[in-house]
Every structure is written in C-alpha cells, then in structure tokens.
Coordinates of all heavy atoms in Angstrom, one line a residue:
S967 N 26.8 -30.2 -6.3 CA 27.3 -31.5 -6.6 C 27.3 -32.3 -5.3 O 27.7 -31.8 -4.2 CB 28.7 -31.4 -7.2 OG 29.2 -32.7 -7.3
L968 N 26.9 -33.5 -5.3 CA 26.8 -34.4 -4.2 C 28.1 -34.7 -3.6 O 29.0 -35.1 -4.3 CB 26.0 -35.7 -4.5 CG 25.7 -36.6 -3.4 CD1 24.6 -36.0 -2.5 CD2 25.2 -37.9 -3.9
E969 N 28.3 -34.5 -2.3 CA 29.6 -34.8 -1.6 C 29.5 -35.9 -0.6 O 30.5 -36.5 -0.3 CB 30.1 -33.5 -0.9 CG 30.4 -32.4 -1.8 CD 31.0 -31.2 -1.1 OE1 31.2 -31.2 0.1 OE2 31.3 -30.2 -1.8
L970 N 28.3 -36.3 -0.2 CA 28.1 -37.4 0.8 C 27.0 -38.3 0.3 O 25.9 -37.8 -0.1 CB 27.8 -36.8 2.2 CG 27.7 -37.9 3.3 CD1 28.2 -37.3 4.6 CD2 26.3 -38.4 3.4
L971 N 27.3 -39.6 0.3 CA 26.3 -40.6 -0.2 C 26.2 -41.7 0.9 O 27.2 -42.3 1.2 CB 26.6 -41.1 -1.5 CG 25.6 -42.2 -2.1 CD1 24.2 -41.6 -2.3 CD2 26.2 -42.7 -3.4
D972 N 25.0 -41.9 1.5 CA 24.8 -42.9 2.5 C 23.8 -43.9 1.9 O 22.6 -43.5 1.8 CB 24.3 -42.3 3.8 CG 24.1 -43.3 4.9 OD1 24.2 -44.5 4.6 OD2 24.0 -42.9 6.0
I973 N 24.2 -45.1 1.5 CA 23.3 -46.1 1.0 C 23.1 -47.2 1.9 O 22.8 -48.3 1.5 CB 23.8 -46.6 -0.4 CG1 25.3 -47.1 -0.3 CG2 23.8 -45.5 -1.5 CD1 25.7 -47.8 -1.6
S974 N 23.3 -46.9 3.2 CA 23.2 -47.9 4.2 C 21.8 -48.5 4.3 O 20.8 -47.9 3.9 CB 23.5 -47.3 5.6 OG 24.8 -46.9 5.6
R975 N 21.7 -49.8 4.8 CA 20.5 -50.5 5.0 C 19.7 -50.8 3.8 O 18.5 -50.8 3.8 CB 19.7 -49.9 6.1 CG 20.3 -49.8 7.4 CD 19.4 -49.3 8.5 NE 20.2 -49.1 9.7 CZ 20.5 -47.9 10.1 NH1 20.2 -46.8 9.5 NH2 21.2 -47.7 11.3
N976 N 20.4 -50.8 2.6 CA 19.8 -51.2 1.4 C 20.3 -52.6 1.1 O 21.5 -52.8 0.7 CB 20.2 -50.3 0.2 CG 19.5 -49.0 0.4 OD1 18.3 -48.9 0.2 ND2 20.2 -47.9 0.7
S977 N 19.5 -53.6 1.3 CA 20.0 -55.0 1.1 C 20.0 -55.4 -0.4 O 19.5 -56.5 -0.7 CB 19.3 -56.0 2.0 OG 17.9 -55.9 1.7
F978 N 20.6 -54.6 -1.2 CA 20.6 -54.9 -2.7 C 21.7 -55.9 -3.0 O 21.7 -56.4 -4.1 CB 20.7 -53.7 -3.5 CG 21.7 -52.6 -3.1 CD1 23.0 -53.0 -3.1 CD2 21.3 -51.4 -2.8 CE1 24.0 -52.0 -2.8 CE2 22.3 -50.4 -2.4 CZ 23.6 -50.8 -2.4
G979 N 22.6 -56.2 -2.1 CA 23.6 -57.2 -2.4 C 24.6 -56.9 -3.5 O 24.7 -55.7 -3.9
A980 N 25.3 -57.9 -3.9 CA 26.3 -57.8 -5.0 C 25.7 -57.3 -6.3 O 26.3 -56.4 -6.9 CB 27.0 -59.1 -5.2
K981 N 24.6 -57.8 -6.7 CA 24.0 -57.4 -7.9 C 23.6 -55.9 -7.9 O 23.9 -55.2 -8.9 CB 22.7 -58.2 -8.2 CG 22.1 -58.0 -9.5 CD 21.0 -58.9 -9.8 CE 20.4 -58.7 -11.2 NZ 19.3 -59.6 -11.5
G982 N 23.0 -55.4 -6.8 CA 22.7 -54.0 -6.7 C 23.9 -53.1 -6.7 O 24.0 -52.1 -7.4
M983 N 25.0 -53.5 -6.0 CA 26.2 -52.7 -6.0 C 26.9 -52.7 -7.3 O 27.4 -51.7 -7.8 CB 27.2 -53.3 -4.9 CG 28.5 -52.5 -4.8 SD 28.3 -50.7 -4.6 CE 27.8 -50.6 -2.9
T984 N 26.8 -53.8 -8.1 CA 27.4 -53.9 -9.4 C 26.7 -52.9 -10.3 O 27.3 -52.1 -11.1 CB 27.4 -55.3 -10.0 OG1 28.1 -56.1 -9.1 CG2 27.9 -55.4 -11.4
L985 N 25.3 -52.9 -10.3 CA 24.5 -52.0 -11.1 C 24.8 -50.6 -10.7 O 24.9 -49.7 -11.6 CB 23.0 -52.4 -11.0 CG 22.6 -53.7 -11.6 CD1 21.2 -54.0 -11.2 CD2 22.8 -53.7 -13.1
L986 N 24.8 -50.3 -9.5 CA 25.1 -48.9 -9.0 C 26.5 -48.4 -9.5 O 26.6 -47.3 -10.0 CB 25.0 -48.8 -7.5 CG 25.2 -47.5 -6.9 CD1 24.2 -46.5 -7.3 CD2 25.3 -47.6 -5.3
T987 N 27.5 -49.3 -9.3 CA 28.8 -49.0 -9.8 C 28.9 -48.7 -11.3 O 29.4 -47.7 -11.7 CB 29.8 -50.1 -9.4 OG1 29.9 -50.3 -8.0 CG2 31.2 -49.9 -10.0
E988 N 28.3 -49.6 -12.0 CA 28.2 -49.4 -13.5 C 27.5 -48.0 -13.9 O 28.0 -47.3 -14.7 CB 27.5 -50.5 -14.2 CG 28.4 -51.8 -14.1 CD 27.6 -53.0 -14.6 OE1 26.4 -52.9 -15.0 OE2 28.2 -54.1 -14.7
S989 N 26.4 -47.8 -13.2 CA 25.7 -46.5 -13.5 C 26.5 -45.3 -13.2 O 26.6 -44.4 -14.0 CB 24.4 -46.5 -12.7 OG 23.7 -45.3 -12.8
I990 N 27.1 -45.3 -12.0 CA 27.9 -44.1 -11.6 C 29.2 -44.0 -12.5 O 29.5 -42.8 -12.9 CB 28.4 -44.3 -10.1 CG1 27.2 -44.2 -9.2 CG2 29.4 -43.3 -9.8 CD1 27.4 -44.5 -7.8
L991 N 29.8 -45.0 -12.8 CA 31.1 -44.9 -13.6 C 30.8 -44.6 -15.1 O 31.5 -43.8 -15.7 CB 31.9 -46.2 -13.5 CG 32.4 -46.6 -12.2 CD1 33.2 -47.8 -12.2 CD2 33.3 -45.4 -11.6
H992 N 29.7 -45.2 -15.7 CA 29.5 -44.9 -17.1 C 28.9 -43.5 -17.3 O 29.0 -43.0 -18.4 CB 28.5 -46.0 -17.7 CG 29.2 -47.3 -17.8 ND1 28.8 -48.4 -17.2 CD2 30.3 -47.6 -18.5 CE1 29.7 -49.4 -17.5 NE2 30.6 -49.0 -18.3
G993 N 28.2 -43.0 -16.3 CA 27.6 -41.7 -16.4 C 28.5 -40.6 -15.9 O 28.2 -39.4 -15.9
N994 N 29.7 -41.0 -15.3 CA 30.6 -40.1 -14.7 C 29.9 -39.2 -13.6 O 30.0 -38.1 -13.5 CB 31.3 -39.1 -15.7 CG 32.5 -38.4 -15.1 OD1 33.1 -38.9 -14.1 ND2 32.8 -37.3 -15.6
H995 N 29.0 -39.9 -12.9 CA 28.2 -39.3 -11.8 C 29.1 -39.2 -10.6 O 30.1 -39.9 -10.4 CB 27.0 -40.1 -11.4 CG 26.1 -40.3 -12.6 ND1 25.5 -39.3 -13.3 CD2 25.7 -41.5 -13.2 CE1 24.7 -39.8 -14.2 NE2 24.8 -41.1 -14.2
L996 N 28.8 -38.3 -9.7 CA 29.5 -38.1 -8.4 C 31.0 -37.8 -8.5 O 31.7 -38.4 -7.7 CB 29.2 -39.3 -7.5 CG 27.8 -39.8 -7.4 CD1 27.7 -41.1 -6.5 CD2 26.9 -38.7 -6.8
P997 N 31.4 -36.9 -9.4 CA 32.8 -36.7 -9.5 C 33.4 -36.0 -8.2 O 34.6 -36.0 -8.0 CB 32.9 -35.7 -10.7 CG 31.6 -35.0 -10.7 CD 30.6 -36.1 -10.3
H998 N 32.6 -35.4 -7.4 CA 33.0 -34.7 -6.2 C 32.6 -35.3 -4.9 O 32.6 -34.7 -3.9 CB 32.6 -33.2 -6.2 CG 33.0 -32.5 -7.5 ND1 34.3 -32.2 -7.8 CD2 32.3 -32.1 -8.5 CE1 34.4 -31.6 -8.9 NE2 33.1 -31.5 -9.4
L999 N 32.3 -36.6 -5.0 CA 31.9 -37.3 -3.8 C 33.1 -37.4 -2.8 O 34.2 -37.9 -3.2 CB 31.4 -38.8 -4.1 CG 30.8 -39.5 -3.0 CD1 29.5 -38.9 -2.6 CD2 30.6 -41.0 -3.4
H1000 N 32.9 -37.0 -1.5 CA 33.9 -37.0 -0.5 C 33.7 -38.2 0.5 O 34.7 -38.7 1.0 CB 34.0 -35.7 0.2 CG 34.4 -34.6 -0.6 ND1 35.5 -33.8 -0.2 CD2 34.0 -34.1 -1.8 CE1 35.7 -32.9 -1.1 NE2 34.8 -33.0 -2.1
V1001 N 32.4 -38.5 0.8 CA 32.1 -39.5 1.8 C 31.1 -40.5 1.2 O 30.1 -40.1 0.7 CB 31.5 -38.8 3.1 CG1 31.2 -39.8 4.1 CG2 32.5 -37.8 3.6
L1002 N 31.5 -41.8 1.4 CA 30.6 -42.9 1.0 C 30.4 -43.8 2.1 O 31.3 -44.3 2.7 CB 31.2 -43.7 -0.2 CG 30.4 -44.8 -0.7 CD1 29.0 -44.4 -1.2 CD2 31.2 -45.5 -1.9
I1003 N 29.1 -44.0 2.5 CA 28.8 -44.8 3.7 C 27.9 -46.0 3.2 O 26.9 -45.8 2.6 CB 28.0 -44.0 4.7 CG1 28.8 -42.8 5.2 CG2 27.6 -44.9 5.9 CD1 28.0 -41.8 6.0
V1004 N 28.4 -47.2 3.4 CA 27.8 -48.4 2.9 C 27.7 -49.4 4.1 O 28.7 -50.2 4.3 CB 28.6 -49.0 1.8 CG1 27.9 -50.2 1.2 CG2 28.9 -48.0 0.7
H1005 N 26.6 -49.4 4.9 CA 26.5 -50.3 6.0 C 25.3 -51.2 5.8 O 24.3 -50.8 5.2 CB 26.2 -49.5 7.3 CG 27.3 -48.6 7.7 ND1 27.1 -47.7 8.7 CD2 28.6 -48.5 7.3 CE1 28.3 -47.0 8.9 NE2 29.1 -47.5 8.0
S1006 N 25.4 -52.4 6.1 CA 24.4 -53.4 6.1 C 23.7 -53.5 4.7 O 22.5 -53.5 4.6 CB 23.3 -53.1 7.1 OG 23.9 -53.1 8.4
C1007 N 24.5 -53.7 3.7 CA 24.0 -53.8 2.3 C 24.2 -55.3 1.8 O 23.9 -55.5 0.6 CB 24.7 -52.8 1.4 SG 24.2 -51.1 1.7
R1008 N 24.7 -56.2 2.6 CA 24.8 -57.6 2.2 C 25.6 -57.7 0.9 O 25.2 -58.4 -0.1 CB 23.5 -58.3 2.0 CG 22.7 -58.2 3.3 CD 21.4 -58.9 3.1 NE 20.6 -58.8 4.4 CZ 19.5 -59.4 4.6 NH1 18.9 -60.1 3.7 NH2 18.9 -59.3 5.8
L1009 N 26.8 -57.1 0.8 CA 27.6 -57.1 -0.4 C 28.3 -58.4 -0.7 O 28.4 -58.7 -1.9 CB 28.6 -55.9 -0.4 CG 28.0 -54.5 -0.2 CD1 29.1 -53.5 -0.2 CD2 27.0 -54.2 -1.3
K1010 N 28.8 -59.0 0.3 CA 29.6 -60.2 0.1 C 30.8 -59.9 -0.8 O 31.1 -58.8 -1.0 CB 28.7 -61.4 -0.5 CG 27.5 -61.6 0.3 CD 27.4 -63.0 0.8 CE 26.1 -63.1 1.6 NZ 26.1 -63.9 2.7
T1011 N 31.5 -61.0 -1.3 CA 32.7 -60.8 -2.0 C 32.5 -60.0 -3.3 O 33.2 -59.1 -3.6 CB 33.4 -62.1 -2.3 OG1 33.6 -62.8 -1.0 CG2 34.7 -62.0 -3.0
R1012 N 31.6 -60.5 -4.1 CA 31.3 -59.8 -5.4 C 30.9 -58.4 -5.3 O 31.4 -57.5 -6.1 CB 30.3 -60.6 -6.2 CG 30.4 -60.4 -7.7 CD 29.4 -61.3 -8.5 NE 28.1 -60.7 -8.2 CZ 27.0 -61.1 -8.8 NH1 27.0 -62.0 -9.7 NH2 25.8 -60.6 -8.5
G1013 N 30.1 -58.1 -4.3 CA 29.7 -56.7 -4.1 C 30.9 -55.8 -3.6 O 31.0 -54.7 -4.0
M1014 N 31.7 -56.4 -2.8 CA 32.9 -55.6 -2.4 C 33.9 -55.4 -3.6 O 34.5 -54.3 -3.6 CB 33.6 -56.4 -1.3 CG 32.9 -56.4 0.0 SD 32.5 -54.8 0.7 CE 34.1 -54.2 1.2
R1015 N 34.0 -56.3 -4.5 CA 34.8 -56.1 -5.7 C 34.2 -54.9 -6.5 O 35.0 -54.1 -7.0 CB 34.8 -57.3 -6.6 CG 35.7 -58.4 -6.0 CD 35.9 -59.5 -7.1 NE 36.6 -60.6 -6.4 CZ 36.1 -61.9 -6.4 NH1 35.0 -62.2 -7.0 NH2 36.8 -62.8 -5.8
A1016 N 32.9 -54.9 -6.7 CA 32.3 -53.8 -7.4 C 32.5 -52.5 -6.6 O 32.8 -51.4 -7.3 CB 30.8 -54.0 -7.5
L1017 N 32.4 -52.5 -5.3 CA 32.7 -51.3 -4.5 C 34.1 -50.9 -4.7 O 34.4 -49.7 -4.8 CB 32.4 -51.6 -3.0 CG 32.7 -50.4 -2.1 CD1 31.8 -49.2 -2.4 CD2 32.4 -50.9 -0.6
G1018 N 35.1 -51.8 -4.8 CA 36.5 -51.5 -5.0 C 36.7 -50.8 -6.3 O 37.4 -49.8 -6.4
L1019 N 36.0 -51.3 -7.4 CA 36.1 -50.6 -8.7 C 35.6 -49.2 -8.6 O 36.2 -48.3 -9.2 CB 35.3 -51.4 -9.7 CG 35.8 -52.8 -10.1 CD1 34.8 -53.5 -11.0 CD2 37.2 -52.6 -10.8
L1020 N 34.5 -49.0 -7.9 CA 33.9 -47.7 -7.7 C 34.9 -46.7 -7.0 O 35.1 -45.6 -7.5 CB 32.6 -47.8 -7.0 CG 31.9 -46.5 -6.7 CD1 31.5 -45.8 -8.0 CD2 30.6 -46.7 -5.9
I1021 N 35.4 -47.1 -5.9 CA 36.2 -46.2 -5.1 C 37.6 -45.9 -5.8 O 38.1 -44.8 -5.6 CB 36.5 -46.7 -3.7 CG1 37.2 -48.0 -3.6 CG2 35.2 -46.8 -2.9 CD1 37.6 -48.4 -2.2
K1022 N 38.0 -46.8 -6.7 CA 39.2 -46.5 -7.4 C 39.0 -45.3 -8.4 O 39.9 -44.6 -8.7 CB 39.7 -47.7 -8.2 CG 40.3 -48.8 -7.4 CD 40.6 -50.1 -8.1 CE 41.7 -50.0 -9.0 NZ 42.1 -51.3 -9.6
Q1023 N 37.8 -45.1 -8.8 CA 37.5 -44.1 -9.8 C 37.0 -42.8 -9.1 O 37.0 -41.8 -9.8 CB 36.4 -44.6 -10.8 CG 36.9 -45.8 -11.6 CD 38.2 -45.5 -12.4 OE1 38.3 -44.4 -13.0 NE2 39.1 -46.4 -12.4
L1024 N 36.6 -42.8 -7.9 CA 36.2 -41.7 -7.2 C 37.4 -40.9 -6.6 O 37.8 -41.1 -5.5 CB 35.2 -42.0 -6.1 CG 33.9 -42.7 -6.5 CD1 33.0 -43.1 -5.4 CD2 33.1 -41.7 -7.4
K1025 N 38.0 -40.1 -7.4 CA 39.3 -39.4 -7.1 C 39.2 -38.5 -5.9 O 40.2 -38.3 -5.2 CB 39.8 -38.7 -8.3 CG 40.0 -39.5 -9.5 CD 41.0 -40.6 -9.3 CE 41.2 -41.5 -10.5 NZ 41.9 -42.7 -10.3
E1026 N 38.0 -38.0 -5.6 CA 37.9 -37.0 -4.5 C 37.4 -37.7 -3.2 O 37.2 -37.0 -2.2 CB 37.0 -35.8 -4.8 CG 37.7 -35.0 -5.9 CD 36.9 -33.7 -6.1 OE1 36.3 -33.2 -5.1 OE2 37.0 -33.1 -7.2
L1027 N 37.2 -39.0 -3.2 CA 36.7 -39.7 -2.0 C 37.7 -39.7 -0.9 O 38.9 -40.0 -1.1 CB 36.4 -41.2 -2.4 CG 35.7 -42.0 -1.3 CD1 34.3 -41.4 -1.1 CD2 35.6 -43.4 -1.7
R1028 N 37.3 -39.2 0.2 CA 38.2 -39.1 1.4 C 37.8 -40.1 2.5 O 38.7 -40.5 3.3 CB 38.1 -37.7 2.0 CG 38.5 -36.6 0.9 CD 40.0 -36.7 0.6 NE 40.4 -35.8 -0.5 CZ 40.7 -36.2 -1.7 NH1 40.6 -37.4 -2.1 NH2 41.0 -35.3 -2.6
V1029 N 36.5 -40.4 2.6 CA 36.1 -41.3 3.7 C 35.2 -42.4 3.1 O 34.3 -42.1 2.4 CB 35.3 -40.5 4.8 CG1 34.8 -41.5 5.9 CG2 36.2 -39.5 5.4
L1030 N 35.5 -43.6 3.4 CA 34.7 -44.8 3.1 C 34.4 -45.5 4.4 O 35.3 -45.9 5.1 CB 35.5 -45.7 2.2 CG 34.8 -47.1 1.9 CD1 33.5 -46.8 1.1 CD2 35.7 -48.0 1.1
S1031 N 33.1 -45.6 4.6 CA 32.6 -46.3 5.8 C 31.8 -47.6 5.4 O 30.8 -47.4 4.8 CB 31.8 -45.4 6.7 OG 31.4 -46.1 7.9
V1032 N 32.4 -48.7 5.8 CA 31.7 -50.0 5.4 C 31.5 -50.8 6.7 O 32.5 -50.9 7.5 CB 32.6 -50.8 4.4 CG1 31.9 -52.1 4.0 CG2 32.9 -50.0 3.2
G1033 N 30.4 -51.3 6.9 CA 30.2 -52.1 8.1 C 28.8 -52.8 8.1 O 28.0 -52.6 7.2
S1034 N 28.6 -53.6 9.2 CA 27.3 -54.2 9.3 C 27.0 -54.3 10.8 O 27.9 -54.3 11.6 CB 27.2 -55.5 8.7 OG 28.1 -56.4 9.3
K1035 N 25.8 -54.4 11.2 CA 25.4 -54.5 12.6 C 25.5 -56.0 13.0 O 24.8 -56.8 12.5 CB 24.0 -54.0 12.8 CG 23.6 -53.9 14.2 CD 22.2 -53.3 14.3 CE 21.9 -53.1 15.8 NZ 20.5 -52.5 15.9
T1036 N 26.5 -56.3 13.8 CA 26.7 -57.6 14.3 C 26.9 -57.5 15.8 O 27.0 -56.5 16.4 CB 28.0 -58.2 13.7 OG1 29.1 -57.5 14.2 CG2 28.0 -58.3 12.2
K1037 N 27.0 -58.7 16.5 CA 27.2 -58.7 17.9 C 28.5 -58.1 18.3 O 28.6 -57.4 19.3 CB 27.1 -60.1 18.4 CG 25.8 -60.7 18.4 CD 25.8 -62.2 18.9 CE 24.5 -62.8 18.9 NZ 24.5 -64.2 19.3
E1038 N 29.5 -58.3 17.4 CA 30.9 -57.8 17.7 C 31.0 -56.3 17.5 O 31.8 -55.6 18.0 CB 31.9 -58.5 16.9 CG 32.1 -60.0 17.2 CD 31.0 -60.8 16.5 OE1 30.5 -60.4 15.4 OE2 30.6 -61.9 17.0
S1039 N 30.2 -55.8 16.6 CA 30.3 -54.4 16.1 C 28.9 -53.7 16.1 O 28.2 -53.8 15.1 CB 31.0 -54.3 14.7 OG 30.9 -53.0 14.2
L1040 N 28.6 -53.0 17.1 CA 27.3 -52.3 17.2 C 27.4 -50.9 16.6 O 26.4 -50.3 16.2 CB 26.8 -52.2 18.6 CG 26.5 -53.6 19.3 CD1 26.1 -53.4 20.7 CD2 25.4 -54.2 18.5
S1041 N 28.6 -50.4 16.4 CA 28.8 -49.1 15.7 C 29.8 -49.4 14.5 O 30.7 -50.1 14.6 CB 29.3 -48.1 16.7 OG 30.6 -48.5 17.1
P1042 N 29.5 -48.6 13.4 CA 30.4 -48.8 12.2 C 31.8 -48.3 12.4 O 32.0 -47.4 13.2 CB 29.6 -48.0 11.2 CG 28.8 -47.0 11.9 CD 28.5 -47.7 13.3
K1043 N 32.7 -48.9 11.7 CA 34.1 -48.5 11.7 C 34.2 -47.5 10.5 O 33.7 -47.7 9.4 CB 35.0 -49.6 11.5 CG 34.9 -50.7 12.5 CD 35.5 -50.4 13.8 CE 35.6 -51.6 14.7 NZ 34.9 -51.5 15.9
I1044 N 34.9 -46.4 10.8 CA 35.1 -45.4 9.7 C 36.6 -45.3 9.5 O 37.4 -45.2 10.4 CB 34.5 -44.0 10.1 CG1 33.0 -44.1 10.2 CG2 34.9 -43.0 9.0 CD1 32.3 -42.9 10.6
G1045 N 37.0 -45.4 8.2 CA 38.4 -45.3 7.8 C 38.6 -44.5 6.6 O 37.6 -44.1 5.9
R1046 N 39.8 -44.1 6.3 CA 40.1 -43.4 5.1 C 40.3 -44.3 3.9 O 40.8 -45.4 4.0 CB 41.4 -42.6 5.3 CG 41.2 -41.6 6.4 CD 41.7 -40.2 5.9 NE 41.4 -39.3 6.9 CZ 40.6 -38.3 6.8 NH1 39.9 -38.2 5.7 NH2 40.4 -37.4 7.8
A1047 N 39.8 -43.8 2.8 CA 40.0 -44.6 1.6 C 41.3 -44.1 1.0 O 41.6 -43.0 0.8 CB 38.8 -44.3 0.6
H1048 N 42.1 -45.1 0.7 CA 43.4 -44.8 0.0 C 43.3 -45.3 -1.4 O 43.3 -46.5 -1.6 CB 44.6 -45.5 0.8 CG 44.7 -45.0 2.2 ND1 45.3 -43.8 2.5 CD2 44.3 -45.6 3.3 CE1 45.3 -43.7 3.8 NE2 44.7 -44.7 4.3
V1049 N 43.3 -44.4 -2.3 CA 43.1 -44.7 -3.7 C 44.4 -44.6 -4.5 O 45.2 -43.8 -4.2 CB 42.0 -43.8 -4.4 CG1 41.8 -44.2 -5.8 CG2 40.8 -43.9 -3.6

C-alpha cells in the first residue's frame, strides 16, 4: 500500500486537485498514506479547499508538505497534519 505521495510540480491547479480528491475519496484509495507532498501545483484557494477535504479523510496522514518556489522560500516548509 502506498505510504508516500509526491505530486509536486504538477500545475494542475484547483480543478486537478478537486478531481484527484474526488477520485481518491470515492475509491477509498490510499488508506495508509503517511506523507503527502504538494509543491508548486498552483492550487490557489479552491485547490486548497479540495486538499483540506482530502487530508480530513486520510486518517493515517502524518506529514503534509505544501509550498512553492518563491524568492522568500527556496526550500519547502514541512509540517505535521493535524486532522
């Protein structure tokens, strides 16, 4: 079973994150996912809402890393997901 998923640098945006979230949730995929890395995906507000719905349902998620490459942040911030 997949424990780490890195979907970084996929500029699918809010629409892509919404579709991914629906697919994962409706198919009960990734029940044992521990680490989710989402960098530089251009999610914006709607995409972050979809990501929020996803992480609420991923009961075993321990690490969520979200970030983008900007002048202020050349390395991603990693934090714990509190569900």
Side-chain angles (χ1 to χ4, degrees):
S967 173
L968 188 67
E969 294 183 3
L970 183 145
L971 179 61
D972 183 347
I973 56 173
S974 298
R975 296 186 190 104
N976 287 294
S977 56
F978 47 63
K981 186 174 184 177
M983 180 53 75
T984 300
L985 291 171
L986 180 64
T987 296
E988 289 172 358
S989 175
I990 291 171
L991 295 181
H992 289 118
N994 195 25
H995 303 299
L996 309 177
H998 304 292
L999 189 68
H1000 291 237
V1001 179
L1002 178 58
I1003 304 170
V1004 185
H1005 296 169
S1006 301
C1007 292
R1008 300 181 182 186
L1009 299 182
K1010 308 240 182 218
T1011 303
R1012 201 175 70 167
M1014 291 302 287
R1015 283 189 191 125
L1017 179 60
L1019 292 173
L1020 178 61
I1021 63 173
K1022 285 171 75 173
Q1023 298 303 316
L1024 296 174
K1025 301 301 182 193
E1026 293 191 28
L1027 188 66
R1028 301 292 174 251
V1029 177
L1030 171 64
S1031 180
V1032 180
S1034 63
K1035 190 174 182 181
T1036 65
K1037 289 181 183 178
E1038 296 81 30
S1039 171
L1040 295 176
S1041 62
K1043 306 280 189 242
I1044 296 181
R1046 296 233 176 245
H1048 297 285
V1049 183

